[in-house]
Amino acid sequence: GESVGLHLPTLSVQEGDNSIINCAYSNSASDYFIWYKQESGKGPQFIIDIRSNMDKRQGQRVTVLLNKTVKHLSLQIAATQPGDSAVYFCAENRLSSNSGYALNFGKGTSLLVTP
Amino acid sequence: DSGVTQTPKHLITATGQRVTLRCSPRSGDLSVYWYQQSLDQGLQFLIQYYNGEERAKGNILERFSAQQFPDLHSELNLSSLELGDSALYFCASGGVGGDYGYTFGSGTRLTVV
């Protein structure tokens, strides 16, 4: 079935390096995507979003890229810091089973920042 | 503090029992979403309520039910609990359909023994 998936389950980067977390989606009708960060023991926290009419969106130290041709989404974190260590989820807004829209989450990528 | 309040934070119960999880949405939000997160799964959407009415339904078991009250708080009822129901249950609040994202609570960790 249609789903949102993540390419890598874990990613280890050195402090100060840039991180790239990838996500593939299969529902070409999806028009809104979000990246969430989840730290241990906490709920997911909104990082950045992008609509399908955009290719790129920048926040503070984070950039989301959307390639609709290959249905690919990526999150770039600049100058990764130890506090960035967490699980990152991409999510797409799509129609649920009976009606109405809800966010469908991928399984997550664990980012580990080493000193 | 995200503004979304979930209680209790931890819950341990036996198989076959019934529990109720509670969520108070962020001030001004009319929608409440419930998600289940287990060790081997990502966040699985269960159900959404908007201003007291069910709006969207995901992979929610028949043993589970939810409701949203006039004051907009929501409850998720889990009955005939099984070991496999052990998970983190998150509530999120926001607008309709996920636009502008959701704000998540800190979750309720349910352990069924």
Side-chain angles (χ1 to χ4, degrees), chain A residues 67-104:
Chain A
N67 186 330
K68 295 179 286 295
T69 302
V70 295
K71 298 178 198 165
H72 183 269
L73 195 67
S74 69
L75 176 70
Q76 299 178 1
I77 305 174
T80 314
Q81 302 169 359
D84 295 326
S85 293
V87 176
Y88 289 81
F89 294 94
C90 64
E92 63 173 337
N93 194 33
R94 72 173 195 184
L95 198 63
S96 66
S97 59
N98 68 335
S99 67
Y101 285 82
L103 288 178
N104 179 51

PDB file of all heavy atoms in Angstrom, chain A residues 67-104:
ATOM      1  N   ASN A  67      11.538  16.592  -3.651  1.00  0.00           N
ATOM      2  CA  ASN A  67      11.673  16.230  -5.053  1.00  0.00           C
ATOM      3  C   ASN A  67      10.444  15.416  -5.432  1.00  0.00           C
ATOM      4  O   ASN A  67      10.363  14.218  -5.163  1.00  0.00           O
ATOM      5  CB  ASN A  67      12.950  15.418  -5.281  1.00  0.00           C
ATOM      6  CG  ASN A  67      13.199  15.139  -6.753  1.00  0.00           C
ATOM      7  OD1 ASN A  67      12.272  15.038  -7.550  1.00  0.00           O
ATOM      8  ND2 ASN A  67      14.453  15.004  -7.122  1.00  0.00           N
ATOM      9  N   LYS A  68       9.508  16.079  -6.057  1.00  0.00           N
ATOM     10  CA  LYS A  68       8.244  15.413  -6.376  1.00  0.00           C
ATOM     11  C   LYS A  68       8.386  14.403  -7.507  1.00  0.00           C
ATOM     12  O   LYS A  68       7.618  13.463  -7.616  1.00  0.00           O
ATOM     13  CB  LYS A  68       7.183  16.463  -6.736  1.00  0.00           C
ATOM     14  CG  LYS A  68       6.819  17.367  -5.549  1.00  0.00           C
ATOM     15  CD  LYS A  68       5.801  18.391  -5.938  1.00  0.00           C
ATOM     16  CE  LYS A  68       6.374  19.499  -6.784  1.00  0.00           C
ATOM     17  NZ  LYS A  68       7.371  20.314  -6.046  1.00  0.00           N
ATOM     18  N   THR A  69       9.395  14.613  -8.335  1.00  0.00           N
ATOM     19  CA  THR A  69       9.599  13.702  -9.464  1.00  0.00           C
ATOM     20  C   THR A  69       9.889  12.290  -8.976  1.00  0.00           C
ATOM     21  O   THR A  69       9.361  11.310  -9.507  1.00  0.00           O
ATOM     22  CB  THR A  69      10.745  14.199 -10.354  1.00  0.00           C
ATOM     23  OG1 THR A  69      10.441  15.513 -10.804  1.00  0.00           O
ATOM     24  CG2 THR A  69      10.940  13.278 -11.551  1.00  0.00           C
ATOM     25  N   VAL A  70      10.735  12.194  -7.968  1.00  0.00           N
ATOM     26  CA  VAL A  70      11.101  10.878  -7.436  1.00  0.00           C
ATOM     27  C   VAL A  70      10.458  10.620  -6.082  1.00  0.00           C
ATOM     28  O   VAL A  70      10.789   9.638  -5.417  1.00  0.00           O
ATOM     29  CB  VAL A  70      12.635  10.727  -7.336  1.00  0.00           C
ATOM     30  CG1 VAL A  70      13.238  10.755  -8.722  1.00  0.00           C
ATOM     31  CG2 VAL A  70      13.238  11.814  -6.455  1.00  0.00           C
ATOM     32  N   LYS A  71       9.569  11.511  -5.673  1.00  0.00           N
ATOM     33  CA  LYS A  71       8.839  11.366  -4.404  1.00  0.00           C
ATOM     34  C   LYS A  71       9.817  11.190  -3.237  1.00  0.00           C
ATOM     35  O   LYS A  71       9.774  10.185  -2.508  1.00  0.00           O
ATOM     36  CB  LYS A  71       7.866  10.199  -4.479  1.00  0.00           C
ATOM     37  CG  LYS A  71       6.793  10.383  -5.534  1.00  0.00           C
ATOM     38  CD  LYS A  71       5.888   9.166  -5.596  1.00  0.00           C
ATOM     39  CE  LYS A  71       5.105   9.135  -6.886  1.00  0.00           C
ATOM     40  NZ  LYS A  71       4.498   7.829  -7.126  1.00  0.00           N
ATOM     41  N   HIS A  72      10.654  12.145  -3.079  1.00  0.00           N
ATOM     42  CA  HIS A  72      11.699  12.068  -2.074  1.00  0.00           C
ATOM     43  C   HIS A  72      11.742  13.359  -1.270  1.00  0.00           C
ATOM     44  O   HIS A  72      11.614  14.455  -1.814  1.00  0.00           O
ATOM     45  CB  HIS A  72      13.047  11.818  -2.771  1.00  0.00           C
ATOM     46  CG  HIS A  72      14.187  11.645  -1.835  1.00  0.00           C
ATOM     47  ND1 HIS A  72      14.970  12.697  -1.408  1.00  0.00           N
ATOM     48  CD2 HIS A  72      14.675  10.531  -1.233  1.00  0.00           C
ATOM     49  CE1 HIS A  72      15.901  12.237  -0.590  1.00  0.00           C
ATOM     50  NE2 HIS A  72      15.748  10.939  -0.470  1.00  0.00           N
ATOM     51  N   LEU A  73      11.956  13.179   0.000  1.00  0.00           N
ATOM     52  CA  LEU A  73      11.999  14.301   0.940  1.00  0.00           C
ATOM     53  C   LEU A  73      13.277  14.161   1.756  1.00  0.00           C
ATOM     54  O   LEU A  73      13.651  13.044   2.130  1.00  0.00           O
ATOM     55  CB  LEU A  73      10.783  14.184   1.868  1.00  0.00           C
ATOM     56  CG  LEU A  73      10.320  15.328   2.736  1.00  0.00           C
ATOM     57  CD1 LEU A  73       9.793  16.457   1.885  1.00  0.00           C
ATOM     58  CD2 LEU A  73       9.236  14.833   3.679  1.00  0.00           C
ATOM     59  N   SER A  74      13.955  15.251   2.017  1.00  0.00           N
ATOM     60  CA  SER A  74      15.136  15.171   2.866  1.00  0.00           C
ATOM     61  C   SER A  74      15.169  16.319   3.857  1.00  0.00           C
ATOM     62  O   SER A  74      14.616  17.395   3.612  1.00  0.00           O
ATOM     63  CB  SER A  74      16.416  15.168   2.018  1.00  0.00           C
ATOM     64  OG  SER A  74      16.606  16.423   1.418  1.00  0.00           O
ATOM     65  N   LEU A  75      15.817  16.035   4.969  1.00  0.00           N
ATOM     66  CA  LEU A  75      16.020  17.038   6.013  1.00  0.00           C
ATOM     67  C   LEU A  75      17.512  17.230   6.172  1.00  0.00           C
ATOM     68  O   LEU A  75      18.240  16.254   6.420  1.00  0.00           O
ATOM     69  CB  LEU A  75      15.413  16.577   7.334  1.00  0.00           C
ATOM     70  CG  LEU A  75      15.648  17.504   8.529  1.00  0.00           C
ATOM     71  CD1 LEU A  75      14.852  18.798   8.367  1.00  0.00           C
ATOM     72  CD2 LEU A  75      15.277  16.804   9.839  1.00  0.00           C
ATOM     73  N   GLN A  76      17.963  18.442   6.007  1.00  0.00           N
ATOM     74  CA  GLN A  76      19.363  18.748   6.183  1.00  0.00           C
ATOM     75  C   GLN A  76      19.534  19.577   7.445  1.00  0.00           C
ATOM     76  O   GLN A  76      18.833  20.567   7.636  1.00  0.00           O
ATOM     77  CB  GLN A  76      19.897  19.514   4.969  1.00  0.00           C
ATOM     78  CG  GLN A  76      19.793  18.715   3.682  1.00  0.00           C
ATOM     79  CD  GLN A  76      20.288  19.495   2.473  1.00  0.00           C
ATOM     80  OE1 GLN A  76      20.728  20.635   2.587  1.00  0.00           O
ATOM     81  NE2 GLN A  76      20.210  18.876   1.306  1.00  0.00           N
ATOM     82  N   ILE A  77      20.445  19.135   8.293  1.00  0.00           N
ATOM     83  CA  ILE A  77      20.754  19.865   9.520  1.00  0.00           C
ATOM     84  C   ILE A  77      22.193  20.358   9.407  1.00  0.00           C
ATOM     85  O   ILE A  77      23.126  19.553   9.241  1.00  0.00           O
ATOM     86  CB  ILE A  77      20.600  18.971  10.767  1.00  0.00           C
ATOM     87  CG1 ILE A  77      19.200  18.355  10.812  1.00  0.00           C
ATOM     88  CG2 ILE A  77      20.879  19.767  12.035  1.00  0.00           C
ATOM     89  CD1 ILE A  77      19.011  17.340  11.934  1.00  0.00           C
ATOM     90  N   ALA A  78      22.368  21.637   9.488  1.00  0.00           N
ATOM     91  CA  ALA A  78      23.705  22.228   9.364  1.00  0.00           C
ATOM     92  C   ALA A  78      24.397  22.265  10.732  1.00  0.00           C
ATOM     93  O   ALA A  78      23.752  22.451  11.766  1.00  0.00           O
ATOM     94  CB  ALA A  78      23.605  23.639   8.803  1.00  0.00           C
ATOM     95  N   ALA A  79      25.698  22.044  10.701  1.00  0.00           N
ATOM     96  CA  ALA A  79      26.513  22.132  11.920  1.00  0.00           C
ATOM     97  C   ALA A  79      25.853  21.375  13.067  1.00  0.00           C
ATOM     98  O   ALA A  79      25.505  21.950  14.102  1.00  0.00           O
ATOM     99  CB  ALA A  79      26.735  23.594  12.298  1.00  0.00           C
ATOM    100  N   THR A  80      25.692  20.080  12.865  1.00  0.00           N
ATOM    101  CA  THR A  80      24.974  19.242  13.812  1.00  0.00           C
ATOM    102  C   THR A  80      25.575  19.333  15.211  1.00  0.00           C
ATOM    103  O   THR A  80      26.797  19.297  15.391  1.00  0.00           O
ATOM    104  CB  THR A  80      24.971  17.784  13.332  1.00  0.00           C
ATOM    105  OG1 THR A  80      24.635  17.757  11.952  1.00  0.00           O
ATOM    106  CG2 THR A  80      23.955  16.970  14.094  1.00  0.00           C
ATOM    107  N   GLN A  81      24.691  19.426  16.186  1.00  0.00           N
ATOM    108  CA  GLN A  81      25.098  19.571  17.575  1.00  0.00           C
ATOM    109  C   GLN A  81      24.631  18.362  18.391  1.00  0.00           C
ATOM    110  O   GLN A  81      23.705  17.658  17.988  1.00  0.00           O
ATOM    111  CB  GLN A  81      24.466  20.849  18.148  1.00  0.00           C
ATOM    112  CG  GLN A  81      24.823  22.110  17.401  1.00  0.00           C
ATOM    113  CD  GLN A  81      23.977  23.299  17.829  1.00  0.00           C
ATOM    114  OE1 GLN A  81      23.104  23.195  18.677  1.00  0.00           O
ATOM    115  NE2 GLN A  81      24.262  24.441  17.231  1.00  0.00           N
ATOM    116  N   PRO A  82      25.244  18.114  19.523  1.00  0.00           N
ATOM    117  CA  PRO A  82      24.811  16.982  20.357  1.00  0.00           C
ATOM    118  C   PRO A  82      23.327  17.020  20.675  1.00  0.00           C
ATOM    119  O   PRO A  82      22.683  15.972  20.770  1.00  0.00           O
ATOM    120  CB  PRO A  82      25.668  17.148  21.626  1.00  0.00           C
ATOM    121  CG  PRO A  82      26.900  17.825  21.142  1.00  0.00           C
ATOM    122  CD  PRO A  82      26.436  18.775  20.070  1.00  0.00           C
ATOM    123  N   GLY A  83      22.782  18.186  20.820  1.00  0.00           N
ATOM    124  CA  GLY A  83      21.352  18.315  21.100  1.00  0.00           C
ATOM    125  C   GLY A  83      20.459  17.906  19.944  1.00  0.00           C
ATOM    126  O   GLY A  83      19.240  17.792  20.117  1.00  0.00           O
ATOM    127  N   ASP A  84      21.043  17.674  18.808  1.00  0.00           N
ATOM    128  CA  ASP A  84      20.271  17.221  17.648  1.00  0.00           C
ATOM    129  C   ASP A  84      20.060  15.707  17.672  1.00  0.00           C
ATOM    130  O   ASP A  84      19.293  15.175  16.868  1.00  0.00           O
ATOM    131  CB  ASP A  84      20.970  17.601  16.334  1.00  0.00           C
ATOM    132  CG  ASP A  84      21.045  19.103  16.132  1.00  0.00           C
ATOM    133  OD1 ASP A  84      20.102  19.814  16.560  1.00  0.00           O
ATOM    134  OD2 ASP A  84      22.046  19.574  15.558  1.00  0.00           O
ATOM    135  N   SER A  85      20.750  15.026  18.559  1.00  0.00           N
ATOM    136  CA  SER A  85      20.587  13.577  18.677  1.00  0.00           C
ATOM    137  C   SER A  85      19.147  13.252  19.054  1.00  0.00           C
ATOM    138  O   SER A  85      18.649  13.709  20.086  1.00  0.00           O
ATOM    139  CB  SER A  85      21.543  13.009  19.730  1.00  0.00           C
ATOM    140  OG  SER A  85      22.895  13.135  19.325  1.00  0.00           O
ATOM    141  N   ALA A  86      18.503  12.494  18.206  1.00  0.00           N
ATOM    142  CA  ALA A  86      17.086  12.189  18.403  1.00  0.00           C
ATOM    143  C   ALA A  86      16.641  11.275  17.261  1.00  0.00           C
ATOM    144  O   ALA A  86      17.430  10.940  16.381  1.00  0.00           O
ATOM    145  CB  ALA A  86      16.244  13.461  18.401  1.00  0.00           C
ATOM    146  N   VAL A  87      15.383  10.902  17.292  1.00  0.00           N
ATOM    147  CA  VAL A  87      14.782  10.192  16.163  1.00  0.00           C
ATOM    148  C   VAL A  87      14.009  11.208  15.342  1.00  0.00           C
ATOM    149  O   VAL A  87      13.265  12.032  15.885  1.00  0.00           O
ATOM    150  CB  VAL A  87      13.849   9.060  16.626  1.00  0.00           C
ATOM    151  CG1 VAL A  87      13.169   8.392  15.433  1.00  0.00           C
ATOM    152  CG2 VAL A  87      14.631   8.032  17.436  1.00  0.00           C
ATOM    153  N   TYR A  88      14.198  11.149  14.042  1.00  0.00           N
ATOM    154  CA  TYR A  88      13.555  12.095  13.133  1.00  0.00           C
ATOM    155  C   TYR A  88      12.544  11.349  12.279  1.00  0.00           C
ATOM    156  O   TYR A  88      12.849  10.298  11.696  1.00  0.00           O
ATOM    157  CB  TYR A  88      14.590  12.787  12.261  1.00  0.00           C
ATOM    158  CG  TYR A  88      15.427  13.751  13.061  1.00  0.00           C
ATOM    159  CD1 TYR A  88      16.498  13.288  13.827  1.00  0.00           C
ATOM    160  CD2 TYR A  88      15.129  15.112  13.084  1.00  0.00           C
ATOM    161  CE1 TYR A  88      17.253  14.168  14.594  1.00  0.00           C
ATOM    162  CE2 TYR A  88      15.879  15.993  13.845  1.00  0.00           C
ATOM    163  CZ  TYR A  88      16.938  15.507  14.605  1.00  0.00           C
ATOM    164  OH  TYR A  88      17.674  16.373  15.375  1.00  0.00           O
ATOM    165  N   PHE A  89      11.352  11.903  12.217  1.00  0.00           N
ATOM    166  CA  PHE A  89      10.276  11.308  11.433  1.00  0.00           C
ATOM    167  C   PHE A  89       9.847  12.271  10.333  1.00  0.00           C
ATOM    168  O   PHE A  89       9.703  13.469  10.561  1.00  0.00           O
ATOM    169  CB  PHE A  89       9.037  11.054  12.302  1.00  0.00           C
ATOM    170  CG  PHE A  89       9.205  10.031  13.378  1.00  0.00           C
ATOM    171  CD1 PHE A  89       9.557  10.404  14.664  1.00  0.00           C
ATOM    172  CD2 PHE A  89       8.992   8.691  13.107  1.00  0.00           C
ATOM    173  CE1 PHE A  89       9.705   9.452  15.665  1.00  0.00           C
ATOM    174  CE2 PHE A  89       9.126   7.737  14.108  1.00  0.00           C
ATOM    175  CZ  PHE A  89       9.487   8.120  15.381  1.00  0.00           C
ATOM    176  N   CYS A  90       9.614  11.717   9.146  1.00  0.00           N
ATOM    177  CA  CYS A  90       8.906  12.496   8.149  1.00  0.00           C
ATOM    178  C   CYS A  90       7.444  12.069   8.197  1.00  0.00           C
ATOM    179  O   CYS A  90       7.125  10.943   8.589  1.00  0.00           O
ATOM    180  CB  CYS A  90       9.488  12.301   6.757  1.00  0.00           C
ATOM    181  SG  CYS A  90       9.348  10.632   6.099  1.00  0.00           S
ATOM    182  N   ALA A  91       6.573  12.961   7.839  1.00  0.00           N
ATOM    183  CA  ALA A  91       5.147  12.665   7.846  1.00  0.00           C
ATOM    184  C   ALA A  91       4.496  13.336   6.652  1.00  0.00           C
ATOM    185  O   ALA A  91       4.906  14.415   6.226  1.00  0.00           O
ATOM    186  CB  ALA A  91       4.509  13.161   9.143  1.00  0.00           C
ATOM    187  N   GLU A  92       3.501  12.668   6.107  1.00  0.00           N
ATOM    188  CA  GLU A  92       2.745  13.245   4.994  1.00  0.00           C
ATOM    189  C   GLU A  92       1.288  13.354   5.406  1.00  0.00           C
ATOM    190  O   GLU A  92       0.774  12.517   6.156  1.00  0.00           O
ATOM    191  CB  GLU A  92       2.864  12.375   3.735  1.00  0.00           C
ATOM    192  CG  GLU A  92       2.281  10.985   3.892  1.00  0.00           C
ATOM    193  CD  GLU A  92       2.246  10.185   2.613  1.00  0.00           C
ATOM    194  OE1 GLU A  92       2.251  10.786   1.517  1.00  0.00           O
ATOM    195  OE2 GLU A  92       2.198   8.945   2.700  1.00  0.00           O
ATOM    196  N   ASN A  93       0.649  14.362   4.897  1.00  0.00           N
ATOM    197  CA  ASN A  93      -0.755  14.567   5.179  1.00  0.00           C
ATOM    198  C   ASN A  93      -1.550  13.833   4.118  1.00  0.00           C
ATOM    199  O   ASN A  93      -1.435  14.143   2.929  1.00  0.00           O
ATOM    200  CB  ASN A  93      -1.083  16.066   5.126  1.00  0.00           C
ATOM    201  CG  ASN A  93      -2.431  16.364   5.734  1.00  0.00           C
ATOM    202  OD1 ASN A  93      -2.863  15.711   6.664  1.00  0.00           O
ATOM    203  ND2 ASN A  93      -3.102  17.369   5.207  1.00  0.00           N
ATOM    204  N   ARG A  94      -2.321  12.848   4.522  1.00  0.00           N
ATOM    205  CA  ARG A  94      -3.047  12.098   3.510  1.00  0.00           C
ATOM    206  C   ARG A  94      -4.379  11.629   4.066  1.00  0.00           C
ATOM    207  O   ARG A  94      -4.621  11.617   5.271  1.00  0.00           O
ATOM    208  CB  ARG A  94      -2.236  10.908   3.022  1.00  0.00           C
ATOM    209  CG  ARG A  94      -2.118   9.768   4.002  1.00  0.00           C
ATOM    210  CD  ARG A  94      -1.442   8.573   3.336  1.00  0.00           C
ATOM    211  NE  ARG A  94      -1.599   7.364   4.091  1.00  0.00           N
ATOM    212  CZ  ARG A  94      -1.033   6.209   3.766  1.00  0.00           C
ATOM    213  NH1 ARG A  94      -0.281   6.131   2.708  1.00  0.00           N
ATOM    214  NH2 ARG A  94      -1.222   5.144   4.490  1.00  0.00           N
ATOM    215  N   LEU A  95      -5.221  11.217   3.127  1.00  0.00           N
ATOM    216  CA  LEU A  95      -6.558  10.774   3.471  1.00  0.00           C
ATOM    217  C   LEU A  95      -6.477   9.494   4.284  1.00  0.00           C
ATOM    218  O   LEU A  95      -5.767   8.564   3.919  1.00  0.00           O
ATOM    219  CB  LEU A  95      -7.338  10.529   2.171  1.00  0.00           C
ATOM    220  CG  LEU A  95      -8.854  10.476   2.253  1.00  0.00           C
ATOM    221  CD1 LEU A  95      -9.408  11.813   2.721  1.00  0.00           C
ATOM    222  CD2 LEU A  95      -9.418  10.120   0.880  1.00  0.00           C
ATOM    223  N   SER A  96      -7.230   9.461   5.373  1.00  0.00           N
ATOM    224  CA  SER A  96      -7.225   8.256   6.192  1.00  0.00           C
ATOM    225  C   SER A  96      -8.269   7.286   5.665  1.00  0.00           C
ATOM    226  O   SER A  96      -8.921   7.537   4.657  1.00  0.00           O
ATOM    227  CB  SER A  96      -7.486   8.610   7.650  1.00  0.00           C
ATOM    228  OG  SER A  96      -8.803   9.108   7.791  1.00  0.00           O
ATOM    229  N   SER A  97      -8.439   6.166   6.379  1.00  0.00           N
ATOM    230  CA  SER A  97      -9.194   5.053   5.816  1.00  0.00           C
ATOM    231  C   SER A  97     -10.665   5.355   5.604  1.00  0.00           C
ATOM    232  O   SER A  97     -11.280   4.823   4.706  1.00  0.00           O
ATOM    233  CB  SER A  97      -9.054   3.828   6.709  1.00  0.00           C
ATOM    234  OG  SER A  97      -9.541   4.126   8.010  1.00  0.00           O
ATOM    235  N   ASN A  98     -11.259   6.168   6.423  1.00  0.00           N
ATOM    236  CA  ASN A  98     -12.692   6.363   6.233  1.00  0.00           C
ATOM    237  C   ASN A  98     -13.055   7.746   5.733  1.00  0.00           C
ATOM    238  O   ASN A  98     -14.068   7.935   5.083  1.00  0.00           O
ATOM    239  CB  ASN A  98     -13.452   6.069   7.535  1.00  0.00           C
ATOM    240  CG  ASN A  98     -13.171   7.087   8.621  1.00  0.00           C
ATOM    241  OD1 ASN A  98     -12.130   7.714   8.616  1.00  0.00           O
ATOM    242  ND2 ASN A  98     -14.101   7.244   9.530  1.00  0.00           N
ATOM    243  N   SER A  99     -12.288   8.702   6.018  1.00  0.00           N
ATOM    244  CA  SER A  99     -12.500  10.064   5.533  1.00  0.00           C
ATOM    245  C   SER A  99     -11.615  10.976   6.350  1.00  0.00           C
ATOM    246  O   SER A  99     -11.092  10.586   7.379  1.00  0.00           O
ATOM    247  CB  SER A  99     -13.958  10.499   5.677  1.00  0.00           C
ATOM    248  OG  SER A  99     -14.299  10.618   7.045  1.00  0.00           O
ATOM    249  N   GLY A 100     -11.435  12.143   5.920  1.00  0.00           N
ATOM    250  CA  GLY A 100     -10.625  13.075   6.690  1.00  0.00           C
ATOM    251  C   GLY A 100      -9.137  12.821   6.490  1.00  0.00           C
ATOM    252  O   GLY A 100      -8.713  11.739   6.118  1.00  0.00           O
ATOM    253  N   TYR A 101      -8.372  13.835   6.739  1.00  0.00           N
ATOM    254  CA  TYR A 101      -6.926  13.758   6.567  1.00  0.00           C
ATOM    255  C   TYR A 101      -6.239  13.637   7.917  1.00  0.00           C
ATOM    256  O   TYR A 101      -6.709  14.161   8.922  1.00  0.00           O
ATOM    257  CB  TYR A 101      -6.420  15.011   5.845  1.00  0.00           C
ATOM    258  CG  TYR A 101      -6.742  15.003   4.374  1.00  0.00           C
ATOM    259  CD1 TYR A 101      -7.995  15.398   3.917  1.00  0.00           C
ATOM    260  CD2 TYR A 101      -5.801  14.582   3.445  1.00  0.00           C
ATOM    261  CE1 TYR A 101      -8.304  15.371   2.575  1.00  0.00           C
ATOM    262  CE2 TYR A 101      -6.093  14.559   2.096  1.00  0.00           C
ATOM    263  CZ  TYR A 101      -7.346  14.960   1.664  1.00  0.00           C
ATOM    264  OH  TYR A 101      -7.651  14.925   0.340  1.00  0.00           O
ATOM    265  N   ALA A 102      -5.122  12.939   7.910  1.00  0.00           N
ATOM    266  CA  ALA A 102      -4.299  12.827   9.103  1.00  0.00           C
ATOM    267  C   ALA A 102      -2.854  12.634   8.663  1.00  0.00           C
ATOM    268  O   ALA A 102      -2.575  12.240   7.532  1.00  0.00           O
ATOM    269  CB  ALA A 102      -4.750  11.667   9.975  1.00  0.00           C
ATOM    270  N   LEU A 103      -1.953  12.931   9.561  1.00  0.00           N
ATOM    271  CA  LEU A 103      -0.541  12.760   9.248  1.00  0.00           C
ATOM    272  C   LEU A 103      -0.150  11.300   9.339  1.00  0.00           C
ATOM    273  O   LEU A 103      -0.432  10.625  10.334  1.00  0.00           O
ATOM    274  CB  LEU A 103       0.316  13.579  10.212  1.00  0.00           C
ATOM    275  CG  LEU A 103       0.297  15.093  10.023  1.00  0.00           C
ATOM    276  CD1 LEU A 103       1.154  15.764  11.076  1.00  0.00           C
ATOM    277  CD2 LEU A 103       0.779  15.463   8.630  1.00  0.00           C
ATOM    278  N   ASN A 104       0.499  10.826   8.280  1.00  0.00           N
ATOM    279  CA  ASN A 104       1.015   9.469   8.237  1.00  0.00           C
ATOM    280  C   ASN A 104       2.530   9.539   8.413  1.00  0.00           C
ATOM    281  O   ASN A 104       3.215  10.191   7.631  1.00  0.00           O
ATOM    282  CB  ASN A 104       0.664   8.837   6.890  1.00  0.00           C
ATOM    283  CG  ASN A 104       1.206   7.432   6.770  1.00  0.00           C
ATOM    284  OD1 ASN A 104       1.000   6.615   7.652  1.00  0.00           O
ATOM    285  ND2 ASN A 104       1.897   7.150   5.680  1.00  0.00           N
TER     286      ASN A 104
END
